[in-house]
Amino acid sequence: MKNIRWLILFLTLVSSNSWTEEPLGGVKNKNNLHIQEKEQIGTVNFPLFIKGEIHSIKNEEETRDEMKERKAKSETDAKLVEYTGLLALFTFLLFFFTAALWWVTYRLSVASKEAGARQAEEMEKSLAIAKEAAQAAISGNELNKKIFISSQRPWVTVQEIIPRSPLNFNEHGLAFTMIARNVGHSPAINVNICAVMHLSYIGNINAHQLHKNMREELARERKELVSNEVDLGHLIVPGEELEIQVRAGYSLAEYQKAALNHPFSEIIILIIGQVSYGSGLDESQYESGFIFSVRRRGGAGILFDDSNMPIEVEIRRFSSGFYTT
């Protein structure tokens, strides 16, 4: 038993020497050196330091830290670039949206102005149409009123003059009857008929001017008489005739003068007159004028001769001078 123990110890020692690359004395020396270094760490002669193996481990850690920092910075930079891109995109979209909003607002403003202008124009047109319609209604009423009055008022004219005596070349002149007829649909009141015999020749007053002077003079007289509430004349109901007998003439000298101023010694005799009357329908005053021509019976002209014999005549409507108001 004891021998076996020594045998195991011997084998153990042999095995230890064979496994070690250096001799045992070298290990002992290293241990002594390590003990010395350990004892000398931290002294004045040997300050604290880190051996190469430790320094390498620290550099690897710093490298890993730097790599982590670089990776983190890279990730941060990537995120910053991403955020910057997103910010740029958002800014662009915001600009685009702002520009689009401004354009829409501008177009809406322009459209609103155009719509306002169109609305104002349409309103102006509507007002003009309404005004025209109102004016048309008023005019229509006035027109209807005029049409009604025109269809119902009295209309008095001298349509015929009948001679009652031959023409004498002296103061007795010619006697004739004027026939006035109411062809309207209501009575004519205050009817007044005036007429004169006129010798028409060169140097004498024009027949139309005489007619105009008579009309103006009768208008003034009628106005004065109406203002004084004076009855002017006769009453003629619709369809009734009024006969007015008149005698008019000139001196022999006037007839001779008229004949001398005509190249064929013809005496041109006109009967110029006017009818004035009122209407109870609208309380208005109306007029109608006339001119008739005195001719020798059969239509021949009246020639002056020295015999001074009376001449049978007829009275015809003249080519002008008829009017009515």
Side-chain angles (χ1 to χ4, degrees):
M1 210 44 206
K2 195 171 183 179
N3 294 326
I4 293 171
R5 290 179 179 176
W6 281 108
L7 179 62
I8 293 171
L9 179 62
F10 175 77
L11 293 173
T12 302
L13 292 173
V14 172
S15 297
S16 296
N17 290 328
S18 61
W19 289 346
T20 305
E21 294 179 355
E22 295 180 358
L24 183 63
V27 174
K28 184 177 180 180
N29 292 331
K30 286 183 177 180
N31 290 334
N32 292 330
L33 180 62
H34 179 69
I35 292 171
Q36 291 177 0
E37 290 177 353
K38 184 176 180 181
E39 289 176 354
Q40 292 177 356
I41 292 173
T43 62
V44 176
N45 295 324
F46 297 94
L48 179 65
F49 70 93
I50 299 173
K51 294 183 72 175
E53 290 81 0
I54 299 175
H55 179 70
S56 298
I57 295 172
K58 184 177 180 180
N59 287 340
E60 291 177 358
E61 291 178 353
E62 289 180 354
T63 302
R64 285 196 297 269
D65 292 339
E66 288 179 359
M67 290 180 66
K68 289 181 180 179
E69 290 179 358
R70 290 178 181 178
K71 184 177 181 181
K73 184 178 180 182
S74 177
E75 291 177 354
T76 303
D77 292 341
K79 290 182 179 180
L80 182 61
V81 171
E82 182 179 356
Y83 292 154
T84 303
L86 292 175
L87 181 61
L89 178 61
F90 176 76
T91 304
F92 174 76
L93 292 176
L94 181 62
F95 172 77
F96 178 77
F97 176 76
T98 304
L101 182 62
W102 177 84
W103 175 252
V104 172
T105 305
Y106 171 75
R107 293 306 304 170
L108 288 176
S109 176
V110 173
S112 177
K113 289 181 180 179
E114 292 177 354
R118 286 195 300 269
Q119 185 177 5
E121 185 178 358
E122 290 177 358
M123 184 177 295
E124 185 177 355
K125 289 181 179 179
S126 299
L127 291 175
I129 292 173
K131 184 177 179 180
E132 290 178 0
Q135 189 65 36
I138 296 173
S139 300
N141 291 334
E142 290 295 329
L143 180 59
N144 293 333
K145 181 180 178 180
K146 289 181 179 180
I147 292 174
F148 173 78
I149 292 175
S150 178
S151 63
Q152 299 300 320
R153 57 163 279 192
W155 293 87
V156 181
T157 60
V158 173
Q159 298 180 341
E160 185 180 7
I161 297 179
I162 302 173
R164 293 187 300 108
S165 70
L167 175 62
N168 294 292
F169 295 106
N170 51 40
E171 289 79 1
H172 296 287
L174 176 67
F176 53 90
T177 299
M178 297 181 296
I179 301 176
R181 184 178 293 111
N182 182 1
V183 296
H185 293 83
S186 61
I189 59 178
N190 295 327
V191 180
N192 184 30
I193 302 176
C194 296
V196 296
M197 180 183 287
H198 176 66
L199 297 179
S200 181
Y201 58 86
I202 298 175
N204 197 7
I205 187 171
N206 183 274
H208 296 288
Q209 183 63 43
L210 177 63
H211 207 181
K212 180 180 178 181
N213 295 342
M214 177 186 293
R215 183 179 182 182
E216 292 175 354
E217 183 178 355
L218 292 176
R220 286 193 300 268
E221 292 178 357
R222 184 175 62 252
K223 185 176 181 180
E224 293 175 0
L225 294 174
V226 170
S227 63
N228 294 326
E229 297 183 354
V230 177
D231 292 335
L232 301 179
H234 307 276
L235 170 68
I236 307 178
V237 298
E240 183 183 17
E241 293 181 350
L242 176 64
E243 296 183 359
I244 303 294
Q245 296 182 358
V246 180
R247 180 178 287 273
Y250 289 90
S251 65
L252 179 61
E254 289 293 327
Y255 290 115
Q256 290 175 343
K257 186 177 181 180
L260 290 174
N261 281 277
H262 192 278
F264 303 106
S265 298
E266 182 178 355
I267 301 175
I268 300 175
I269 303 174
L270 301 176
I271 298 176
I272 301 174
Q274 177 181 285
V275 181
S276 300
Y277 59 98
S279 171
L281 187 64
D282 58 352
E283 298 181 355
S284 298
Q285 288 295 128
Y286 299 99
E287 301 172 351
S288 62
F290 57 90
I291 298 179
F292 285 81
S293 175
V294 180
R295 308 287 292 176
R296 188 184 293 270
R297 183 174 292 179
I302 300 175
L303 299 177
F304 184 80
D305 54 26
D306 294 334
S307 63
N308 296 330
M309 296 294 294
I311 301 173
E312 297 292 333
V313 296
E314 62 182 23
I315 302 175
R316 299 180 177 182
R317 293 168 62 93
F318 195 58
S319 59
S320 61
F322 288 84
Y323 67 89
T324 184
T325 62

